[in-house]
Amino acid sequence: MPDMKDEDIRIGVFICHCGSNIAGYLDMEELSEYAEKLPHVTFVQRNLYSCSEAGISEIKKGIMEHDLNRVIVASCTPRTHEPLFRSSCAEAGLNPYLFEMVNIRDQCSWVHMKEREDGTDKAKDQIRMGVAKAALLEPQEPIMSDVQIRALVIGGGISGMTAALSLANRGYEVVLVEKEKNLGGMLNQIYKLAPTMTDASALAEEKIRAVTGHPNITLFTGSKVNAAQGFIGKYQIDIETESGIKKIDFGVILIATGASVYTPEGLYGYDGQRIITQLEMERLLKKGLDQGIKNIVMIQCVGSRNEDRPYCSRICCQTAVKNAMLIKNQIPEAKISILYRDMQMYGVENEELFRDSKAKGIRYINYDSVQPPEVESDKVRVYHALLGREMLLPADLVVLSTPLIAHEDAVEISQLLRISIDENGFFLEGHVKLRPLDFATDGIFLCGSAHYPANIREAVAQGLGAASRASIPLSQGSVVVEPIISVLANEDACIACGLCVALCPYGALEIQKTEKGEKVHVIDVACKGCGCCAAACPQKALDITHFRDRQIFAVIEAGGAEAQ
Amino acid sequence: MLDVGRHPNIELLAYSEVEKVEGQAVDFKVTVRRKARYVEEDKCTGCGACAEKCPTAVPDAFNEGLGTRKAIYNYFAQGIPSTHTIDADYCRQLNGKKCGICEKTCQADAINFDQEDRIIQLDVGAIIVAAGYDVFDPSLIPEYRYKEISNVVTAIEFERFLSASGPTGGHLDRPSDRAVQAEIAGLEKRVNKSQRALEKFEKKYEEGSGEFYKKYEAGQYKDDEDYKKWADKYAGHPAIVETLSTLKRKVETFTVAKRLAFIQCVGSRDFRFYPFCSGYCCMHSIKEAIIANEHEPETQSTIFGMDIRAVGKGFEEYKVRGGNKSGISYMRGRVAEITEGPDNNPVVTYENTHERKVESQEFDMVILATACAPTKGIFELAKILGIELNKYNFVKTSPQSPVDSTVPGIFVCGCAGSPMDVPESVAQASSAAERAAEMVFQSQSEKEKAVA
């Protein structure tokens, strides 16, 4: 309502006692007398509990009887109560964004329990600032956008297949894109899976059968995504398939592109013959080991937990222990030593496997990273950090445990979809703890080793979890976004410099051609209203609704004004 | 929590327990006991005025018993729902004494001393078990002397010490020092009481206590009960004052704990208790050591562990950074014993496995990284649900179906299934929700097919 005349603005201020939480420490009568004198304030009321049924009906009654067009509640905290008061305004016919909350409990009475006078003065300041903002509030309508009920899963390993199957089982149409000719990913190269020693290819085959036979899954192998645009609910994707480009729309995208195994060129004399990686060991085990192999040495942390690759790849210890056990099954008299820094056998199942392996006679030798083992022609020289002496271990075969590294395609995919990768090249989740399967960008989800090295249990769980996250917009059929977003308030000022586009963490801005030349365009459903763009815009062309510059300036000015 | 409390599709039944489950996947009938709070959920606004006025202090379970709360309470400040609850074990009114202060204080008229447990029935398609875990009780390990040495605490207790909303307001005051402070507070009360008693006698007999005592000792007063009391009070008074001032002088030398020892694998990777690795404890010790160092930059921490298992995304980097920037050193080895040295300082004896030496070191405080123990209630719950537990008493699952229990339609996530950290728990919660949705959807479409 920018064109609303000043004299038409009618603000109602409801001051909450919160039992005695506020009224016990501040002078409520003084506050309400003060509020009555503020500009545009036409109605002031005090409530015992504004949030109680009685309090809410008083607010609604106030709006209707006094023809209020702005409402302020001065009370506890917006953290818990803003949604309630907003919806109460809406029920009384007032646009919910014409509501403003003033926090005089958490930010005032609770911190000034022993300063009644000063606390009351501060609450007056807060109410005066709230009134200044309220006078400039504008009604907003929630932004709605339809969701294309179709999911794209990129990557056909165990995690991607699990996610695709789960979504398909729930009745959603799924397109699964796999770069290789065959599904299965890393499973195809693995012999058996810890801790149950399940056959990896049997599990892969079972999942592949289910995927290929599923009526809701369209499969493109030997294919890749080569162009993408759009936002949650409306992603337009070009898939380069063996039979040409397919243009398909999707509501959501799941990234399950996995990881690669690091090849330790130049480390410990790696030659792929006598000195091999754990992945090559899997192949040998699959074929059946040469019975002449009697002495095997495994070295952990080859190419990880160092300056180049500071991270721990999480699953290499379990892989080594598992393979050592499998070697023992094929050659019971084999002598196996595992040279380690820390044995990362976290959890219930891994630790159990670790214990069992010791019972089978597998030897563990602790080495220090500053004094790494040396591989010689037929033996390995290692300083045993716990015995305090050097040991010479005969070695027919040396197996190097190398980390999983980010997939080479990760960078390209991150650029295509405008999603982030971390310093190690793995995809970066929305929040380390609270949103492990989401991206900051809405509508795109993450599972398996594309996120971080994962074992079979973790990859399956994450596949299911990402499917669950992705199913939320699919099941709702539309997305509703809170209308506190960036807007191009001054189109003429925009010089299309692109700074905001580069800074936006959510991919919500793009440069478009308009009649006035190139201008920035806000994709409103993708915008989170963080304000990065508006703060950075050198032309002051962008503004955030509900937190416009002039609203904030009015609050600051009111804050600096003396209480009368 | 806030999102759960506010979501239109979630009916939150806090302070309730499942009593019976009948039926099968897609069609479970669940009996739930909603325990009496003695507070009407729809009236209570969570303002907390009742708890402020309640006269009964109770050990605060949320602060690991380190502080107190009232008999009417909200489990913790941000708890959802914010509905308060009366602790029937401690409430004066509910135990037949005269009180009812909360009822008079509550302006929302929410207190109801006559409330009873209610039994409700739910029809649900799927069940997700997210019953969590218990913290291992380290007093079962005699050589660590938890509870005997006051400055040996568990990691979860230490969390409360580090927290701004905890019993020490985020300062690392040692429990032994806090005990002295508590003793001082008690003595101050006694001194004041004794002072008031003496003043009362002085007023009654219009004579100074010193004067009186001299004469009393000289036998100038006849043997009277009242005089005897006065004399005893006067004679005992200097001793209390003296003890108080000694303690006060002692307190002046107190500083916050700056030398910390973190002991890993307390109850886990231990054949006497839990042979498994709890997975998350290495990281919480590193985190606590880093936060302690942020609070007080002089803090030096030693983490004693067999392997430091920093295996999650960014964890190894965090561990190394902790060593470089937050005064943490990592000592490979298992701690053999904790004894008490001078000034209530715990002394840790361990094998330095890299030097092959048995060493002892004195610390201000020792923090025990306790195992993730299966929750006590899981046995009863497993029986009610008919699901199997594994040999360690976590809900049984398989690596290929990580959130499926042994009963179709019943799923598990988080530490009820296996020890895990926050990101993994959050991811698994989505996984379990997905399996539940998948199962319910498939059964519906099968039904539709059957009808068609």
Side-chain angles (χ1 to χ4, degrees):
Chain A
M1 269 177 258
D3 52 350
M4 183 180 241
K5 277 193 227 111
D6 221 32
E7 59 266 30
D8 293 339
I9 297 172
R10 299 173 62 81
I11 301 178
V13 181
F14 296 85
I15 306 175
C16 181
H17 287 206
C18 195
S20 57
N21 276 295
I22 298 171
Y25 309 102
L26 305 178
D27 188 332
M28 303 309 280
E29 206 155 316
E30 204 180 316
L31 283 184
S32 56
E33 278 169 18
Y34 178 74
E36 275 167 14
K37 288 185 220 140
L38 291 169
H40 307 302
V41 174
T42 47
F43 181 65
V44 177
Q45 193 182 51
R46 286 189 274 147
N47 309 105
L48 182 59
Y49 292 110
S50 299
C51 62
S52 67
E53 271 183 46
I56 294 295
S57 69
E58 285 299 313
I59 294 173
K60 290 194 210 165
K61 208 168 87 186
I63 294 171
M64 290 187 275
E65 287 181 1
H66 298 270
D67 199 19
L68 302 176
N69 51 31
R70 303 285 191 281
V71 167
I72 289 177
V73 174
S75 62
C76 47
T77 163
R79 195 174 61 87
T80 53
H81 281 77
E82 190 174 59
L84 172 71
F85 294 132
R86 270 193 187 161
S87 62
S88 309
C89 287
E91 283 162 23
L94 188 67
N95 184 290
Y97 291 89
L98 297 174
F99 168 78
E100 179 70 12
M101 192 150 181
V102 177
N103 184 338
I104 59 166
R105 189 189 70 181
D106 291 14
Q107 292 179 357
C108 191
S109 70
W110 275 359
V111 276
H112 304 293
M113 286 185 170
K114 290 174 185 161
E115 302 147 297
R116 190 178 178 86
E117 231 169 86
D118 289 346
T120 305
D121 281 347
K122 175 171 160 183
K124 283 185 197 171
D125 292 344
Q126 290 179 292
I127 293 172
R128 184 174 68 248
M129 291 159 82
V131 167
K133 167 106 186 257
L136 297 175
L137 287 176
E138 300 159 348
Q140 311 286 344
E141 294 305 327
I143 296 156
M144 271 199 26
S145 175
D146 288 341
V147 170
Q148 175 73 50
I149 316 289
R150 189 182 296 123
L152 170 64
V153 177
I154 307 176
I158 183 68
S159 207
M161 288 195 291
T162 303
L165 277 170
S166 189
L167 284 171
N169 283 342
R170 290 180 59 189
Y172 301 117
E173 202 185 320
V174 179
V175 173
L176 177 58
V177 174
E178 167 57 49
K179 188 180 70 167
E180 304 295 333
K181 295 249 182 276
N182 300 308
L183 290 172
M186 197 74 86
L187 276 187
N188 295 330
Q189 302 181 57
I190 294 172
Y191 174 43
K192 282 182 182 199
L193 298 165
T196 43
M197 302 304 178
T198 316
D199 203 56
S201 40
L203 175 67
E205 274 162 31
E206 180 197 321
K207 289 274 178 192
I208 292 168
R209 251 199 320 276
V211 166
T212 47
H214 205 294
N216 293 345
I217 299 179
T218 309
L219 181 62
F220 293 116
T221 50
S223 307
K224 58 179 261 202
V225 170
N226 76 353
Q229 54 176 326
F231 44 87
I232 179 168
K234 286 192 175 64
Y235 283 106
Q236 292 135 11
I237 307 291
D238 289 3
I239 303 166
E240 190 184 321
T241 72
E242 285 162 327
S243 54
I245 302 273
K246 310 265 184 216
K247 286 180 181 296
I248 307 177
D249 290 351
F250 296 97
V252 292
I253 300 171
L254 287 83
I255 307 290
T257 47
S260 322
V261 171
Y262 173 66
T263 311
E265 296 293 353
L267 291 176
Y268 297 106
Y270 169 73
D271 59 10
Q273 301 294 319
R274 190 180 70 93
I275 302 163
I276 61 174
T277 62
Q278 289 289 358
L279 196 64
E280 287 159 341
M281 187 73 228
E282 302 270 357
R283 275 177 225 148
L284 292 185
L285 283 163
K286 229 178 193 176
K287 257 192 347 215
L289 287 174
D290 173 358
Q291 289 295 315
I293 299 173
K294 295 294 171 227
N295 294 299
I296 295 157
V297 176
M298 294 185 178
I299 305 175
Q300 300 306 109
C301 298
V302 175
S304 63
R305 297 177 71 192
N306 59 16
E307 272 183 22
D308 297 338
R309 248 164 262 99
Y311 64 93
C312 162
S313 173
R314 185 175 171 96
I315 59 166
C316 346
C317 282
Q318 13 180 320
T319 304
V321 177
K322 176 205 70 171
N323 284 347
M325 300 278 272
L326 293 170
I327 293 168
K328 276 280 191 188
N329 285 349
Q330 292 189 8
I331 312 173
E333 69 276 20
K335 284 204 171 75
I336 308 170
S337 301
I338 299 182
L339 317 187
Y340 73 99
R341 288 170 59 191
D342 292 275
M343 282 309 291
Q344 308 291 36
M345 304 300 279
Y346 60 90
V348 172
E349 287 165 342
N350 291 328
E351 182 70 18
E352 192 166 1
L353 188 72
F354 186 31
R355 276 200 311 277
D356 292 350
S357 75
K358 288 183 204 166
K360 278 213 165 186
I362 290 157
R363 267 202 298 186
Y364 290 89
I365 295 173
N366 184 237
Y367 78 88
D368 197 324
S369 60
V370 295
Q371 223 172 340
E374 287 167 37
V375 177
E376 297 173 4
S377 60
D378 57 350
K379 53 190 168 298
V380 174
R381 188 183 294 274
V382 61
Y383 181 81
H384 194 310
L386 306 185
L387 291 179
R389 63 178 171 83
E390 197 171 81
M391 293 178 87
L392 276 176
L393 304 166
D396 305 322
L397 200 59
V398 176
V399 190
L400 307 178
S401 291
T402 58
L404 284 187
I405 54 172
H407 206 285
E408 59 200 19
D409 299 338
V411 174
E412 193 188 333
I413 292 171
S414 81
Q415 284 164 354
L416 276 175
L417 294 170
R418 287 187 289 183
I419 47 181
S420 308
I421 46 178
D422 66 20
E423 63 276 19
N424 296 319
F426 293 101
F427 284 101
L428 183 64
E429 65 273 32
H431 186 284
V432 181
K433 305 234 179 265
L434 303 177
R435 294 173 65 203
L437 306 171
D438 301 11
F439 280 97
T441 306
D442 280 346
I444 311 183
F445 305 91
L446 175 63
C447 56
S449 294
H451 165 253
Y452 200 62
N455 64 20
I456 195 77
R457 184 181 264 282
E458 292 154 359
V460 171
Q462 288 175 20
L464 290 170
S468 169
R469 300 293 300 154
S471 75
I472 295 170
L474 294 178
S475 69
Q476 290 175 340
S478 61
V479 278
V480 180
V481 176
E482 187 165 40
I484 298 178
I485 56 159
S486 176
V487 285
L488 185 56
N490 186 348
E491 195 183 6
D492 293 335
C494 175
I495 52 170
C497 67
L499 182 60
C500 54
V501 179
L503 286 174
C504 177
Y506 308 107
L509 297 167
E510 57 195 6
I511 303 289
Q512 273 189 351
K513 281 210 173 75
T514 71
E515 285 167 9
K516 292 181 179 175
E518 285 200 325
K519 298 287 172 191
V520 72
H521 170 248
V522 180
I523 304 163
D524 49 12
V525 283
C527 177
K528 301 269 188 198
C530 72
C532 256
C533 54
C537 178
Q539 293 291 103
K540 298 270 166 257
L542 290 159
D543 224 352
I544 305 295
T545 55
H546 210 67
F547 292 91
R548 288 184 185 275
D549 283 354
R550 58 197 176 87
Q551 294 167 338
I552 302 287
F553 288 143
V555 172
I556 296 170
E557 261 170 47
E562 281 291 319
Q564 269 104 55
Chain B
M1 278 190 298
L2 215 54
D3 289 347
V4 170
R6 197 187 277 160
H7 201 289
N9 293 349
I10 297 176
E11 186 184 356
L12 180 59
L13 302 177
Y15 207 49
S16 304
E17 282 183 39
V18 171
E19 296 216 317
K20 198 160 74 177
V21 174
E22 294 161 299
Q24 62 224 330
V26 198
D27 189 18
F28 289 111
K29 292 210 180 328
V30 183
T31 308
V32 176
R33 175 178 295 271
R34 304 214 59 194
K35 295 185 274 187
R37 287 178 184 270
Y38 307 100
V39 176
E40 305 278 356
E41 280 94 345
D42 51 347
K43 287 186 186 161
C44 175
T45 64
C47 78
C50 50
E52 203 175 303
K53 292 281 174 344
C54 171
T56 310
V58 177
D60 184 358
F62 176 68
N63 272 327
E64 299 296 312
L66 299 167
T68 60
R69 61 159 168 80
K70 296 300 183 59
I72 184 162
Y73 68 106
N74 185 12
Y75 186 57
F76 63 103
Q78 297 83 13
I80 300 283
S82 59
T83 315
H84 281 51
T85 303
I86 295 180
D87 190 331
D89 291 341
Y90 293 93
C91 170
R92 291 162 60 89
Q93 183 82 21
L94 289 173
N95 287 290
K97 289 183 195 141
K98 229 181 126 180
C99 185
I101 291 175
C102 52
E103 193 177 18
K104 285 177 210 115
T105 308
C106 180
Q107 300 186 40
D109 198 20
I111 308 291
N112 175 6
F113 290 112
D114 300 322
Q115 200 179 58
E116 285 176 359
D117 287 4
R118 285 149 296 165
I119 303 292
I120 59 167
Q121 300 278 347
L122 303 173
D123 290 317
V124 298
I127 296 171
I128 294 175
V129 179
Y133 69 100
D134 285 348
V135 172
F136 170 76
D137 174 10
S139 55
L140 295 171
I141 303 182
E143 61 271 26
Y144 286 173
R145 296 189 175 80
Y146 172 70
K147 294 254 158 89
E148 288 172 48
I149 305 174
S150 55
N151 294 330
V152 175
V153 302
T154 63
I156 195 88
E157 286 169 344
F158 195 67
E159 284 286 334
R160 300 315 304 149
F161 282 116
L162 289 174
S163 168
S165 65
T168 59
H171 298 286
L172 279 185
D173 301 329
R174 305 194 312 159
S176 63
D177 298 353
R178 295 185 70 230
V180 174
Q181 308 268 23
E183 208 182 330
I184 288 177
L187 280 171
E188 274 172 345
K189 266 191 200 153
R190 272 180 66 198
V191 168
N192 287 341
K193 212 174 147 192
S194 159
Q195 192 73 44
R196 277 199 305 275
L198 291 177
E199 280 165 13
K200 224 166 132 190
F201 283 118
E202 286 171 1
K203 215 173 166 187
K204 187 171 172 188
Y205 297 105
E206 293 179 344
E207 187 172 18
S209 292
E211 279 301 295
F212 155 76
Y213 190 70
K214 256 188 233 160
K215 291 183 195 161
Y216 182 84
E217 284 292 279
Q220 290 178 24
Y221 282 97
K222 62 177 187 301
D223 205 14
D224 175 286
E225 192 71 2
D226 221 25
Y227 287 139
K228 189 176 178 320
K229 263 193 203 159
W230 188 0
D232 288 350
K233 266 266 161 337
Y234 183 76
H237 191 72
I240 316 174
V241 174
E242 177 54 30
T243 323
L244 180 61
S245 59
T246 314
L247 287 182
K248 277 188 169 169
R249 276 196 302 279
K250 194 172 166 189
V251 164
E252 281 166 18
T253 66
F254 289 170
T255 59
V256 293
K258 289 179 187 169
R259 297 173 301 165
L260 307 177
F262 291 85
I263 299 180
Q264 300 309 115
C265 301
V266 176
S268 52
R269 298 183 75 186
D270 186 330
F271 289 107
R272 296 171 297 174
F273 308 103
Y274 299 113
F276 55 79
C277 161
S278 296
Y280 55 65
C281 343
C282 285
M283 288 316 289
H284 70 53
S285 289
I286 298 171
K287 176 201 71 176
E288 288 183 343
I290 289 179
I291 295 175
N293 186 272
E294 281 168 6
H295 285 204
E296 170 54 64
E298 283 173 28
T299 306
Q300 294 290 319
S301 299
T302 306
I303 300 182
F304 294 89
M306 295 183 281
D307 302 282
I308 300 298
R309 292 182 170 168
V311 289
K313 191 171 183 171
F315 289 5
E316 174 72 15
E317 293 93 318
Y318 188 75
K319 178 189 111 182
V320 172
R321 207 163 52 233
N324 291 340
K325 294 195 176 150
S326 301
I328 304 176
S329 47
Y330 300 96
M331 177 61 72
R332 190 189 176 285
R334 188 153 202 145
V335 170
E337 192 178 24
I338 307 170
T339 50
E340 190 158 29
D343 294 327
N344 301 101
N345 287 334
V347 177
V348 174
T349 303
Y350 57 95
E351 185 196 356
N352 177 342
T353 56
H354 280 161
E355 296 294 326
R356 291 159 302 284
K357 271 190 260 173
V358 174
E359 297 173 350
S360 287
Q361 207 180 329
E362 191 181 301
F363 292 93
D364 296 334
M365 248 173 122
V366 170
I367 298 99
L368 306 175
T370 45
C372 171
T375 180
K376 279 182 218 76
I378 201 71
F379 302 99
E380 183 63 26
L381 186 62
K383 217 183 287 165
I384 291 169
L385 295 170
I387 56 176
E388 278 178 49
L389 301 179
N390 65 23
K391 63 178 163 186
Y392 306 113
N393 296 316
F394 293 108
V395 175
K396 191 173 178 180
T397 59
S398 82
Q400 285 83 25
S401 309
V403 294
D404 288 35
S405 79
T406 50
V407 173
I410 302 182
F411 306 99
V412 60
C413 57
C415 290
S418 172
M420 66 184 67
D421 62 6
V422 172
E424 208 181 335
S425 294
V426 173
Q428 266 211 356
S430 287
S431 321
E434 179 65 16
R435 287 289 297 130
E438 195 181 333
M439 190 208 64
V440 171
F441 179 86
Q442 281 185 306
S443 113
Q444 272 172 356
S445 52
E446 268 162 37
K447 252 189 233 161
E448 278 160 23
K449 266 184 223 155
V451 171

